[in-house]
């Protein structure tokens, strides 16, 4: 697949591997990619149990190709155990998310290591160290996606998580990802009490050229999806731009009172190609999840009704027994 037609996720939901029910429930939410988190969201004493949850969850995943696993940093014993679990799992995730990466060498090492087990996932890298920011161009070339890790990076820099404080990093990521056709995903919004912060961040990252955003709470997904997923009107306009420039023999054309030329046509073609690629990979999954959610709701309602009938019967029997 060429860079222009790579299917880029627009929403990524992280769920800690603290219980199988928690992870499975998360799949009913409409995210392009669901990441099972083995790293920061799992306390050290619970790491082993989390790996067991992750393996069981992968076997139940409705779309393994769009399921990710965030592993612990390379160079730690937890990462070794994470990789052994992934290598031995009968179902492999389509994406592995790396943490605390300083160099593209680490990305190639992980890719080569997993390949020895016959696993070839996409590799996404969390950009969250000063060294990683310095090597962002090489990391973008080696990886399939970059994700801004604002919490750890801000802590390392000794600054607050603000737009101004991380603007230079976001710009560097956007440029590097554009150079290599790598997915560019923004950090999670930690201000769950301030939805306007999420909306403002989305608007700003769109202007920089980011493709997607992480969510740590499913309530954020609707806002992210509406803003970042391919828009029907935007795709229609992009096709009109392409056609207008083609009709002008590849020169400058006038469309709806605006001048459009070859650069506009190139961007329009990329917009259409990526929109089509997204639809082919992720849109069907969203429909399937919606259908599954409806079926689950029906089953749940039936189960509740059955439970209510059973409870009523038990209550009647108890009353009868008491009467005797």
């Amino acid at each position: 697949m060429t860079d222009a037609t790579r299917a880029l996720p627009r929403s990524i939901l992280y769920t800690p591997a603290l219980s199988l029910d928690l992870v499975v429930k998360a799949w009913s939410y409409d995210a392009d990619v669901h990441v099972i988190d083995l790293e920061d969201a799992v306390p050290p004493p619970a790491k082993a149990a989390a790996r067991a949850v992750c393996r069981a969850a992968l076997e139940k995943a409705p779309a393994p190709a769009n399921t990710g696993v965030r592993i612990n940093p390379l160079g730690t014993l937890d990462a070794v155990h994470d990789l052994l679990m992934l290598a031995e799992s009968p179902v492999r995730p389509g994406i592995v998310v790396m943490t605390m990466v300083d160099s593209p060498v680490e990305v190639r090492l992980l890719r080569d290591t997993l390949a020895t087990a016959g696993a070839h996932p996409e590799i996404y890298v969390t950009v969250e160290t000063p060294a990683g920011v310095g090597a962002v161009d090489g990391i973008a070339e080696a990886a399939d996606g970059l994700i801004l890790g604002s919490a750890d990076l801000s802590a390392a820099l000794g600054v607050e998580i603000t737009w101004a404080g991380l603007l230079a990093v976001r710009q560097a990521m956007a440029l590097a990802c554009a150079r290599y056709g790598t997915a560019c995903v923004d950090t999670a919004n930690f201000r769950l009490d301030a939805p306007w912060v999420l909306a403002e961040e989305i608007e700003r990252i769109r202007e920089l050229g980011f493709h997607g955003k992480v969510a740590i709470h499913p309530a954020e997904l609707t806002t992210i999806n509406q803003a970042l997923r391919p828009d029907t009107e935007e795709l229609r306009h992009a096709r009109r731009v392409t056609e207008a420039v083609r009709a002008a023999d590849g020169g400058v054309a006038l469309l709806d009172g605006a001048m459009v030329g070859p650069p506009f046509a190139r961007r329009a073609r990329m917009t259409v190609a990526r929109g089509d690629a997204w639809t082919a990979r992720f849109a069907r999954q969203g429909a399937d999840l919606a259908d599954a959610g409806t079926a689950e709701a029906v089953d749940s309602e039936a189960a509740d009704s059955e439970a209510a009938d059973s409870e009523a019967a038990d209550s009647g029997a108890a009353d009868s027994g008491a009467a005797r």
Side-chain angles (χ1 to χ4, degrees), residues 5 33 37 90-91 116 123 155 164 190 194 206 230 233 244 253 257 284 291 302:
T5 56
V33 171
D37 192 3
V91 177
T116 64
I123 306 295
F190 300 104
R206 276 175 56 92
E233 181 58 33
R284 181 64 256 170
D291 292 343

Side-chain angles (χ1 to χ4, degrees), residues 159-193:
V159 302
E160 296 294 327
I161 302 176
T162 63
W163 179 260
L166 297 176
L167 177 57
V169 177
R170 283 186 167 103
Q171 289 173 324
M173 286 177 59
L175 288 171
C177 288
R179 190 172 294 117
Y180 300 107
T182 308
C184 194
V185 182
D186 194 46
T187 184
N189 165 50
F190 300 104
R191 290 289 308 279
L192 299 180
D193 63 330

Side-chain angles (χ1 to χ4, degrees), residues 303-319:
D304 290 344
S305 176
E306 183 177 340
D309 292 343
S310 176
E311 184 178 348
D314 290 345
S315 176
D319 291 342

Side-chain angles (χ1 to χ4, degrees), residues 106-240:
E106 298 170 61
V107 182
R108 291 190 285 268
L109 175 61
L110 177 65
R111 201 183 292 279
D112 292 344
T113 300
L114 290 173
T116 64
H120 304 278
E122 294 178 77
I123 306 295
Y124 278 51
V125 171
T126 312
V127 179
E128 55 188 340
T129 69
V133 175
V136 69
D137 194 78
I139 293 173
E141 183 179 17
D144 298 288
L146 299 186
I147 302 172
L148 176 59
S150 60
D152 281 300
L153 182 57
S154 294
L157 297 174
V159 302
E160 296 294 327
I161 302 176
T162 63
W163 179 260
L166 297 176
L167 177 57
V169 177
R170 283 186 167 103
Q171 289 173 324
M173 286 177 59
L175 288 171
C177 288
R179 190 172 294 117
Y180 300 107
T182 308
C184 194
V185 182
D186 194 46
T187 184
N189 165 50
F190 300 104
R191 290 289 308 279
L192 299 180
D193 63 330
W196 62 88
V197 173
L198 174 65
E200 186 177 80
E201 282 185 352
I202 292 173
E203 183 60 30
R204 287 175 167 178
I205 63 168
R206 276 175 56 92
E207 293 175 352
L208 290 179
F210 275 65
H211 309 118
K213 190 165 179 65
V214 166
I216 55 174
H217 194 285
E220 298 178 315
L221 289 172
T222 297
T223 301
I224 294 172
N225 289 337
Q226 287 179 347
L228 296 179
R229 282 180 173 174
D231 177 73
T232 301
E233 181 58 33
E234 182 183 13
L235 292 174
R236 187 184 72 84
H237 179 72
R239 290 187 171 93
R240 292 181 65 220

